[in-house]
Amino acid sequence: MTPPYRLHYAPDNASLVIRLALEARGLPYETALVDRAARQQDGAAYRALNPGGLIPVLETPDGPIFETAAILLWLADRHGGLAPAPDAPARAAFLKWLFFVSNTLHADLRMLFYPGQYVGPDHASALRDRLTARLRGHLALLERAVAAPDWPGGASEFYLACLLRWMALYPEGFDRGWFTLPGYPALAALCARAEATGAAAAAIRAEGLGATPFTAPHPATPPEGSAT
């Protein structure tokens, strides 16, 4: 029987967040590697699924879904367990932090990793300086939120753990001394929680993430395709 979901992924990309969510709910799915080295995400077939050409896409019986937060929210509403129920008091907090992680933290990280997509080469260093200052502010907000007793948890934790992983690893050749996970105890504890799940174990096997992908990350050595 064909699984109901098909995840278009590249190792150690934002698709990792969706893989973790699917695994956490025990949902059957198949994967389709997007060969970034060959710019497959720019091809007509992939653009028919996601006109923006970004990874991931999740094909579902209701059609393809793109945007990481949208996929997470759709899976949560369809299958439960990844977020507070729509009528739960914690739902509002879950939504605001999910979209803060997606629209603010992840968006700023993308600019940090790919400054050439936003400014010319003469301005890349200045942009990165501004972004690291902004990111420190985002992390301070999240540290307080995650430490608070009303932190809603859910799929936002997988998303945040992945972003923290990438902060520790990328961009290659850039001084990443501005960020160390132990400096944020609540976020470090969140990473440890995510790392201890069966979902993380499955992702480690699938994408070559190493034994400690969130608390002490190393670059992926993916058995499928290439993350470059």
Side-chain angles (χ1 to χ4, degrees):
M1 182 176 179
T2 301
Y5 301 126
R6 190 176 201 223
L7 176 63
H8 294 260
Y9 86 105
D12 210 13
N13 277 238
S15 49
L16 174 59
V17 181
I18 307 306
R19 186 191 290 274
L20 289 165
L22 291 165
E23 292 286 349
R25 297 305 298 149
L27 299 172
Y29 67 99
E30 62 184 17
T31 58
L33 176 68
V34 181
D35 187 344
R36 292 185 64 200
R39 302 297 303 176
Q40 190 175 357
Q41 69 270 29
D42 293 331
Y46 192 78
R47 292 283 179 144
L49 299 171
N50 181 358
L54 297 177
I55 300 166
V57 166
L58 184 68
E59 290 190 74
T60 81
D62 294 344
I65 309 175
F66 51 87
E67 295 295 332
T68 303
I71 299 171
L72 287 177
L73 189 55
W74 187 90
L75 287 171
D77 288 348
R78 180 61 59 97
H79 297 287
L82 296 170
D87 58 350
R91 179 73 167 196
F94 170 79
L95 289 174
K96 73 182 180 184
W97 288 116
L98 172 64
F99 285 97
F100 180 83
V101 168
S102 174
N103 295 358
T104 302
L105 183 63
H106 196 173
D108 279 356
L109 270 184
R110 183 170 178 80
M111 286 192 284
L112 181 72
F113 294 165
Y114 307 108
Q117 295 183 8
Y118 302 92
V119 297
D122 293 343
H123 301 285
S125 179
L127 175 61
R128 280 178 162 164
D129 287 344
R130 291 197 297 273
L131 286 168
T132 53
R134 279 174 54 87
L135 287 163
R136 287 192 192 99
H138 302 338
L139 291 173
L141 286 176
L142 285 161
E143 174 70 13
R144 292 193 294 272
V146 172
D150 59 350
W151 169 249
S156 296
E157 297 213 346
F158 285 138
Y159 202 162
L160 187 49
C162 290
L163 295 179
L164 292 166
R165 167 185 169 78
W166 300 328
M167 283 185 210
L169 292 176
Y170 308 115
E172 294 182 3
F174 177 66
D175 181 6
R176 293 184 295 279
W178 66 273
F179 169 72
T180 57
L181 184 61
Y184 302 92
L187 296 178
L190 179 150
C191 285
R193 288 196 298 273
E195 198 169 88
T197 63
I204 287 167
R205 290 192 299 271
E207 301 195 17
L209 302 180
T212 55
F214 304 126
T215 59
H218 298 280
T221 52
E224 304 171 278
S226 171
T228 59

